[in-house]
């Protein structure tokens, strides 16, 4: 049996000495190289769940296992891409990528070459020597995603990575992320408020209730990969979208 990238075992979390119950017994797994999305109402506890998985918070009860090891309450086991790109403003774009590669164990000299190859692959080679503030929001998110992708931890957590982008840029980023991920598979857990985004990108979707959050439904997304950007035209896409919308009502 292969080990899961992530296993959550009956996670409960409350704040304010138990008076605020947020997570109410969550259990699910993310398989190796699987792309799983979490959808749930605002305030249902999604970011709290990420903080538990990342070890920044401890569950009231329950366990977090990453790559087959118990990691509850301990840090350093995940790659994290926050909602706002968090690049180091005093380092050039290339130097931001080089650092991620060096942290992953690539030697200094090789990291310089690899960083430029990666920037070329994501269409940003001409910005290699620029500083992050010169990039548009979408470009910064591409670099931020690349940094998470290149970091050594096998599990990536993406907390609404495209939430701050305009609709068109967001769509372009979704396609771009899908292509990069299909060529460089990693285990991903993505929080999103967009049902379309979840259907386009994921292998499975976890639908959470409002707080205290329980798993309402786990939906297998049956579309073959590589996925077409025209997926939304398929009847099954719209059926699943409706099903998730109904769950969230
Ligand atoms: N440190 C804390 N102390 C007290 N309450 C907290 C703390 N952190 C989170 N909460 C509460 O837990 C609940 C869930 O918050 P959380 O940020 O996890 O929701 P979310 O699902 O990520 O929402 P959104 O979709 O709006 O980002 C909220 O009611 C929030 O106020
Ligand atoms: Mg949140």
């Amino acid at each position: 049996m292969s080990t899961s990238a992530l296993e959550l075992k009956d996670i409960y979390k409350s704040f304010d000495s138990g008076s605020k119950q947020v997570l109410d017994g969550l259990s699910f797994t993310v398989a190796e190289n699987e792309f799983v999305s979490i959808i749930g109402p605002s305030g249902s506890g999604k970011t709290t769940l990420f903080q538990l998985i990342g070890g920044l918070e401890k569950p009231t009860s329950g366990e977090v296992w990453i790559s087959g090891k118990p990691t509850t309450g301990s840090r350093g086991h995940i790659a994290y891409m926050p909602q706002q790109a968090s690049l180091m403003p005093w380092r050039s774009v290339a130097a931001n990528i080089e650092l991620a590669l060096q942290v992953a164990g690539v030697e200094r000299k090789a990291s310089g070459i690899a960083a430029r190859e990666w920037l070329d692959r994501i269409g940003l080679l001409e910005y290699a020597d620029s500083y992050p503030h010169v990039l548009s929001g979408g470009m910064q998110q591409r670099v931020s995603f690349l940094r998470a992708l290149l970091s050594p931890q096998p599990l990536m957590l993406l907390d609404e990575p495209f939430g701050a982008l305009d609709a068109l840029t967001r769509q372009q980023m979704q396609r771009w992320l899908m292509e990069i991920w299909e060529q460089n598979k990693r285990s991903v857990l993505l929080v999103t408020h967009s049902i379309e985004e979840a259907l386009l990108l994921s292998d499975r979707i976890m639908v959470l209730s409002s707080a205290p959050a329980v798993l309402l439904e786990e939906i297998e997304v049956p579309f073959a990969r590589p996925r077409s950007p025209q997926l939304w035209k398929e009847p099954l896409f719209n059926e699943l979208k409706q099903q998730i919308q109904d769950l969230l009502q």
Side-chain angles (χ1 to χ4, degrees), residues 38-79:
I38 298 180
I39 287 196
S42 188
S44 58
K46 304 178 296 297
T47 298
T48 303
L49 184 63
F50 271 14
Q51 286 173 339
L52 293 170
I53 296 169
L56 301 174
E57 289 273 359
K58 277 189 179 161
T60 309
S61 67
E63 291 176 13
V64 178
W65 289 60
I66 293 175
S67 303
K69 297 194 186 79
T71 60
T72 317
S74 77
R75 302 183 190 189
H77 304 283
I78 54 148

Side-chain angles (χ1 to χ4, degrees), residues 92-238:
S92 69
V93 169
N96 266 280
I97 300 302
E98 281 166 29
L99 186 66
L101 286 160
Q102 287 167 18
V103 168
V106 177
E107 275 181 58
R108 185 178 271 271
K109 206 169 160 195
S111 74
I113 298 164
R116 275 161 206 275
E117 284 170 0
W118 270 108
L119 285 171
D120 196 18
R121 235 172 283 169
I122 67 169
L124 293 176
L125 184 56
E126 61 181 300
Y127 291 97
D129 298 316
S130 307
Y131 286 84
H133 73 269
V134 177
L135 307 187
S136 71
M139 290 173 185
Q140 290 186 26
Q141 285 299 69
R142 269 190 264 172
V143 177
S144 181
F145 175 74
L146 182 56
R147 269 209 334 191
L149 187 73
L150 296 177
S151 68
Q153 300 88 345
L155 175 66
M156 290 172 70
L157 302 186
L158 316 179
D159 194 352
E160 290 197 68
F162 310 136
L165 303 176
D166 63 86
L168 189 65
T169 309
R170 182 173 187 150
Q171 244 177 34
Q172 289 166 346
M173 285 296 299
Q174 288 165 356
R175 281 178 211 169
W176 175 83
L177 185 145
M178 191 170 63
E179 274 169 30
I180 293 274
W181 179 81
E182 279 171 355
Q183 292 155 15
N184 309 270
K185 290 254 170 115
R186 290 279 298 275
S187 314
V188 176
L189 192 57
L190 167 88
V191 165
T192 179
H193 279 112
S194 162
I195 300 174
E196 285 99 336
E197 183 169 291
L199 283 170
L200 178 69
L201 296 175
S202 331
D203 299 312
R204 273 187 305 146
I205 301 174
M206 305 292 162
V207 185
L208 298 189
S209 71
S210 49
V214 295
L215 192 57
L216 287 177
E217 188 95 47
E218 187 181 322
I219 292 168
E220 292 274 346
V221 184
F223 307 112
R225 293 186 187 273
R227 293 206 175 137
S228 151
Q230 307 292 312
L231 202 61
W232 58 273
K233 289 182 180 162
E234 295 198 20
L236 183 56
F237 185 94
N238 287 296

Side-chain angles (χ1 to χ4, degrees), residues 5-20:
L6 172 70
E7 190 171 1
L8 299 177
K9 301 183 180 181
D10 214 17
I11 299 280
Y12 286 79
K13 178 67 180 174
S14 54
F15 291 108
D16 307 336
S17 22
S19 63
K20 191 181 220 174

